[in-house]
Amino acid sequence: MLPNEFDKLISPLMRGAYLFYGPEEYLKQYYKKKLKKTLIGDESLEGFNYSLLSDLSELASQIDILPVMNDRRLVEITDIKFSKLSQDALSELCELCARAASQETVLLFYTRGDEFSGEKYSGSGGQRSKEYFKKLSQAINTVEFAKQTPARLSAWLGKHFAANHVFASPETCAEMVERCGTDMNTLANETEKLCAY
């Protein structure tokens, strides 16, 4: 699914497991923060209703923990190299994700960089990686964060400037994308500098 489709799913009562992949880190961070804020709400409850894991050994126990004074918990799992998992570990992971769909815990698998590209793993692994992604996508809702086109970035910059009460013409925004590149973090930083100036 695309980020705008995922955005429509975000609610305090959502369920399931989600995999964020793709090269656009700015959008991944944006939607992760939005998901966390929606599910957890009150920051004082974060210690009870949010967990950050960097390996899968604790995942099974985390799924069964009930939320405290809230409808849902969020478990974020980062830096998992899916192609390094054995077939058994992958099957177990898929079963856990299917189980999460009926629990009060939402799982978010967050990959950095461009670990997956469509149905291909960008590293070595070939056919095995394709099969892994296909199997994962049957158990996990995948959300692809692709690089944005220059036209979309120009429109986004215009909105970003307007939110800071600064007018920037479409031509200026297009020129900025041409000069600064298509990385949204870089563009956001440059926009903030210009707005502050």
Side-chain angles (χ1 to χ4, degrees), residues 109-128:
F109 292 89
Y110 187 100
T111 63
R112 299 184 196 284
D114 191 14
E115 184 174 1
F116 291 107
S117 177
E119 291 188 1
K120 289 169 136 181
Y121 182 77
S122 61
S124 61
Q127 188 62 34
R128 176 180 176 187

Side-chain angles (χ1 to χ4, degrees), residues 62-118:
Q62 288 290 324
I63 290 173
D64 295 326
I65 297 174
L66 293 172
V68 175
M69 294 186 292
N70 212 2
D71 292 314
R72 297 287 181 266
R73 288 186 74 248
L74 176 64
V75 176
E76 180 184 346
I77 306 99
T78 62
D79 301 324
I80 301 300
K81 298 296 182 196
F82 293 100
S83 67
K84 305 264 187 215
L85 297 175
S86 68
Q87 285 284 351
D88 290 340
L90 181 67
S91 295
E92 185 179 335
L93 175 61
C94 290
E95 287 172 20
L96 288 173
C97 291
R99 193 171 95 204
S102 65
Q103 303 288 350
E104 282 74 33
T105 298
V106 174
L107 303 179
L108 173 62
F109 292 89
Y110 187 100
T111 63
R112 299 184 196 284
D114 191 14
E115 184 174 1
F116 291 107
S117 177

Side-chain angles (χ1 to χ4, degrees), residues 3 6-7 10-11 14 18-21 24-41 46 50-53 74-79 106-112 143 145:
F6 175 73
D7 192 41
I10 297 175
S11 80
M14 71 188 295
Y18 299 86
L19 169 66
F20 282 11
Y21 73 100
E24 189 48 73
E25 293 297 323
Y26 181 91
L27 287 177
K28 281 193 268 187
Q29 285 292 324
Y30 172 81
Y31 282 105
K32 179 179 85 166
K33 287 176 188 170
K34 184 173 182 176
L35 176 65
K36 188 174 178 183
K37 184 175 181 181
T38 301
L39 292 178
I40 307 224
E46 187 174 312
Y50 173 75
S51 298
L52 178 63
L53 306 177
L74 176 64
V75 176
E76 180 184 346
I77 306 99
T78 62
D79 301 324
V106 174
L107 303 179
L108 173 62
F109 292 89
Y110 187 100
T111 63
R112 299 184 196 284
V143 187
F145 292 88

